Amino acid sequence: MPCLVALWGGGLALADASQPAAGPPLAIRLDAGAAPLELTAPISVWIDPRGDASIDRVTRSAPGLFSVVPSSAFHNIDASMALWVHLRLENPSATGQDWIVTVPVPYIDRISAYQKGGSGAWVRRSAGDLVAVADWPRMGLYPEFPVRIDARSTRDLYLQIHNYRGLDLPIRIADAVAHGQRRDLEYVALGLIIGSLLMLSAWCGVQFVEHRNKTEGWYALYSLLMAAVIATVTGLCAQFLWPQSPKWSDSAYAVLPLLGVGTTLLFVRHVCALSLAHPRFDKLLAISGWAAIAITPSYWVLDRTVTYLGYASVIVAAPLLGLVATALAWRRNNSAAPWLALSYAPQALVLFALSLQSLGVIPGNWLGHFVLTAVVALTVPLLLHTLSLRLRERKNVETRVDHLPSQDALTGLLTEELFAKQLQDVVLRASEHKEPAAVVLVDVVNYERIKLVYGDATAEQCLLRAVIKLHRVLRDVDPAGRVGNARFGLIIEGITSRQALSERMVKLIASGLIPLPGLTPEVTLQFHVAAVLLSEKIPDPTKVIFELSGLLATMSSRTRRPIRFLEPESTTPTPLSSDSAFGPGRTGAFPIV
């Protein structure tokens, strides 16, 4: 419905533009103390089909040439035509005032303002993309023309507009003071937006240097590119970076946005990761992104009408592709899809709005242009957050893949071979450096019964729950491995007494007796524990698991002592040597001195 309203409104505007109204234009009363005037009253316009009419001819034939149209009307012109606008400005105050007439459209090829000078001759001043900004009447983001109006008098101002395509023509009029305040506000807003993007680009660059992640490096360049795109379409680059180069100023308005659209599509493709589920659409995204970048050189080779068709096609197609990619990623439960939708949907709306404005379907508004610019800038950090989520997920997957040879596939614990290596290292440290530790073997006694009664799926779920309970009594640095079907080996360092270890194991056994949630009927886990303190006994690392398993085998399923320890080795006194002064049958005492 909003699109239909916009189309209907655009149709009315074009219809009104075809209704001529003879006679001089109504005077526009100006108030020096008021806010800048956004012209909404009807204006007098004439389209010169050949584009070569002189100001003298226009002024002589003005009443018959010009027609009154709404100020928001779309003017369908091309490079061979010229649009003339006749404004009559009235100053009702008792003092002369300086006014600034602004046309806030940075992409106009050329706009010339005609007003009478002191000698009565028409004075022409020009601005636009095809005019070096240094030669403008006033250097700024867009064409500005100063007008001096004496006290209680009117001043006729003619605007001649040349552009390679049709456009609407917003006009703003303000006194010098109000215009300066408005201009400062625009610079501050653009400075905040572009400064934030530059800071984001610098941060990504630092992250790239630190982590050597190519994606972060490319995103640093992308943030820099988006800052350049916003600075270009708002006129900042033309004013401050290339004020002497009108040719580049004119071409950059199309070239840089195409680069921005192409790189955005490539980043969306990278985030959505549709190459396996939707390979054809993934290739379409890649081709579209690279095609948008590849057609940029054609702007300097082909005719502007042809290049504009390619530009408009890319601008219209890119939002559709991005939204479809987001929808497909959402269907696959991609965790980054909601953030991608939040970041890309506004950008798609911006591109659609610019396309409709360029076609004259909806009127242009400079305040709305600033809002759209801010929305585009906001998508950059949101897209970075989305990219960070995907990088984090991929890093986790890579970490799990790297650990697959060292981890049990079901429980995620160390394999039996790697646990044996950890066990050998801790025994070596205990024997050489007297570092306290305990080696523990935990057995889920009722695992086979659970498997027999409830099936393999429930038994595997019980093993996973058992691992969770094991982690609750272990520290992150304590190794744990699966050394049997339902048997786990633990190495707990820093344990110096049986009581400290028993307290932990009691918590484990008690937690196993709590019924597992989500399983019907109720299922509990019965743990048996066998342990050895390395401060009491230094076992053979190749035999300690066998010894602890033998200790577990001596425990009945209903034992009241589910925690057992390997006893320290017994010692015998060393016999006296044969050359001792005390014989086997001799006793004596030390002499008293």
Side-chain angles (χ1 to χ4, degrees):
M1 183 60 70
C3 295
L4 293 177
V5 172
L7 290 170
W8 178 70
L12 284 182
L14 293 174
D16 291 341
S18 64
Q19 296 177 4
L26 297 176
I28 302 173
R29 294 175 61 89
L30 304 177
D31 185 0
L37 173 64
E38 303 287 345
L39 193 60
T40 57
I43 57 176
S44 296
V45 301
W46 172 59
I47 295 179
D48 177 12
R50 298 178 57 183
D52 58 353
S54 64
I55 183 63
D56 294 328
R57 176 194 168 190
V58 171
T59 54
R60 286 196 305 267
S61 307
L65 290 178
F66 285 82
S67 59
V68 178
V69 300
S71 58
S72 61
F74 183 81
H75 309 285
N76 192 15
I77 62 174
D78 55 33
S80 63
M81 302 178 181
L83 172 67
W84 286 84
V85 178
H86 183 194
L87 301 177
R88 178 161 293 173
L89 309 178
E90 178 183 358
N91 179 16
S93 66
T95 58
Q97 295 287 341
D98 291 322
W99 303 85
I100 307 297
V101 177
T102 303
V103 181
V105 182
Y107 60 84
I108 291 181
D109 286 348
R110 182 189 300 271
I111 178 170
S112 301
Y114 295 88
Q115 56 181 314
K116 287 188 176 181
S119 62
W122 289 100
V123 178
R124 174 184 176 182
R125 295 178 177 178
S126 299
D129 280 350
L130 300 182
V131 180
V133 178
D135 298 331
W136 288 12
R138 290 172 58 91
M139 292 183 64
L141 302 176
Y142 31 74
E144 302 172 352
F145 302 98
V147 180
R148 176 71 182 183
I149 307 177
D150 296 331
R152 295 188 177 91
S153 63
T154 60
R155 171 68 67 117
D156 285 326
L157 180 69
Y158 288 89
L159 301 177
Q160 182 188 28
I161 296 96
H162 289 89
N163 201 48
Y164 71 98
R165 61 182 176 88
L167 77 167
D168 52 3
L169 199 69
I171 299 175
R172 188 172 70 228
I173 307 173
D175 63 81
V177 176
H179 175 78
Q181 294 175 349
R182 176 67 175 265
R183 185 175 180 175
D184 292 342
L185 182 61
E186 291 176 352
Y187 280 129
V188 169
L190 290 176
L192 289 174
I193 293 174
I194 297 176
S196 299
L197 293 180
L198 293 178
M199 291 288 290
L200 184 62
S201 177
W203 183 82
C204 291
V206 171
Q207 294 296 312
F208 167 70
V209 172
E210 181 177 356
H211 301 117
R212 298 297 179 181
N213 190 319
K214 293 182 179 180
T215 302
E216 292 175 335
W218 284 114
Y219 204 84
L221 296 179
Y222 173 72
S223 301
L224 192 62
L225 173 62
M226 293 305 295
V229 169
I230 292 176
T232 299
V233 299
T234 54
L236 275 175
C237 286
Q239 180 180 356
F240 294 106
L241 296 185
W242 42 78
Q244 301 289 348
S245 179
K247 184 176 181 180
W248 173 244
S249 177
D250 179 58
S251 59
Y253 194 85
V255 169
L256 289 181
L258 282 176
L259 292 177
V261 169
T263 52
T264 301
L265 280 179
L266 294 178
F267 271 110
V268 169
R269 172 179 176 264
H270 180 75
V271 170
C272 290
L274 301 173
S275 57
L276 295 179
H278 305 279
R280 293 183 179 179
F281 185 78
D282 181 76
K283 291 181 180 178
L284 178 61
L285 279 179
I287 293 173
S288 302
W290 288 113
I293 297 174
I295 66 174
T296 54
S298 65
Y299 195 87
W300 294 285
V301 179
L302 302 177
D303 183 74
R304 295 185 67 183
T305 305
V306 178
T307 57
Y308 177 69
L309 291 177
Y311 173 83
S313 300
V314 171
I315 294 298
V316 171
L320 294 175
L321 293 175
L323 291 177
V324 172
T326 303
L328 293 176
W330 201 311
R331 287 183 57 188
R332 298 179 61 237
N333 295 323
N334 190 326
S335 61
W339 290 101
L340 184 62
L342 184 62
S343 63
Y344 199 75
Q347 191 168 352
L349 180 62
V350 168
L351 296 176
F352 273 125
L354 292 178
S355 302
L356 294 178
Q357 286 181 8
S358 65
L359 296 174
V361 178
I362 61 175
N365 184 287
W366 187 237
L367 179 61
H369 193 72
F370 265 94
V371 173
L372 298 182
T373 300
V375 169
V376 172
L378 183 61
T379 63
V380 179
L382 289 176
L383 190 58
L384 175 61
H385 177 67
T386 305
L387 192 64
S388 299
L389 289 178
R390 294 296 295 163
L391 287 176
R392 197 178 309 161
E393 288 182 355
R394 291 179 181 181
K395 185 65 176 178
N396 291 337
V397 171
E398 291 175 359
T399 302
R400 290 196 298 269
V401 170
D402 293 339
H403 288 172
L404 280 178
S406 62
Q407 290 182 336
D408 179 66
L410 177 62
T411 62
L413 301 179
L414 295 175
T415 60
E416 189 171 358
E417 294 77 9
L418 286 178
F419 181 77
K421 186 178 182 304
Q422 294 281 348
L423 179 58
Q424 186 174 4
D425 293 340
V426 75
V427 171
L428 181 62
R429 291 197 302 270
S431 62
E432 293 183 353
H433 305 289
K434 307 302 180 182
E435 293 185 4
V439 180
V440 183
L441 211 60
V442 178
D443 190 19
V444 182
V445 181
N446 59 337
Y447 171 75
E448 293 298 335
R449 177 174 175 76
I450 294 174
K451 184 177 180 180
L452 180 63
V453 175
Y454 300 107
D456 293 340
T458 302
E460 289 183 356
Q461 187 176 0
C462 289
L463 279 186
L464 295 178
R465 301 290 181 90
V467 172
I468 294 174
K469 295 178 185 299
L470 286 176
H471 282 303
R472 291 175 182 172
V473 298
L474 292 176
R475 298 172 302 174
D476 293 337
V477 296
D478 294 331
R482 188 180 182 188
V483 296
N485 198 20
R487 185 167 292 179
F488 309 100
L490 314 176
I491 299 175
I492 307 176
E493 300 191 32
I495 296 293
T496 58
S497 66
R498 293 188 177 188
Q499 181 179 357
L501 180 60
S502 298
E503 289 177 355
R504 290 198 187 187
M505 296 301 105
V506 166
K507 292 180 181 179
L508 173 64
I509 294 171
S511 66
L513 298 178
I514 299 175
L516 298 178
L519 292 180
T520 304
E522 296 180 348
V523 177
T524 59
L525 301 177
Q526 185 178 353
F527 293 110
H528 282 182
V529 178
V532 58
L533 293 180
L534 300 187
S535 59
E536 296 179 351
K537 178 180 181 178
I538 304 296
D540 184 349
T542 62
K543 298 180 179 179
V544 63
I545 298 296
F546 177 75
E547 294 175 0
L548 292 175
S549 298
L551 185 59
L552 287 173
T554 62
M555 302 165 59
S556 68
S557 59
R558 297 183 178 275
T559 181
R560 295 190 177 185
R561 288 199 309 127
I563 304 174
R564 306 283 178 90
F565 290 89
L566 288 180
E567 296 298 332
E569 296 178 355
S570 59
T571 59
T572 58
T574 304
L576 294 175
S577 61
S578 58
D579 59 348
S580 175
F582 298 93
R586 180 180 174 183
T587 60
F590 291 102
I592 301 176
V593 180

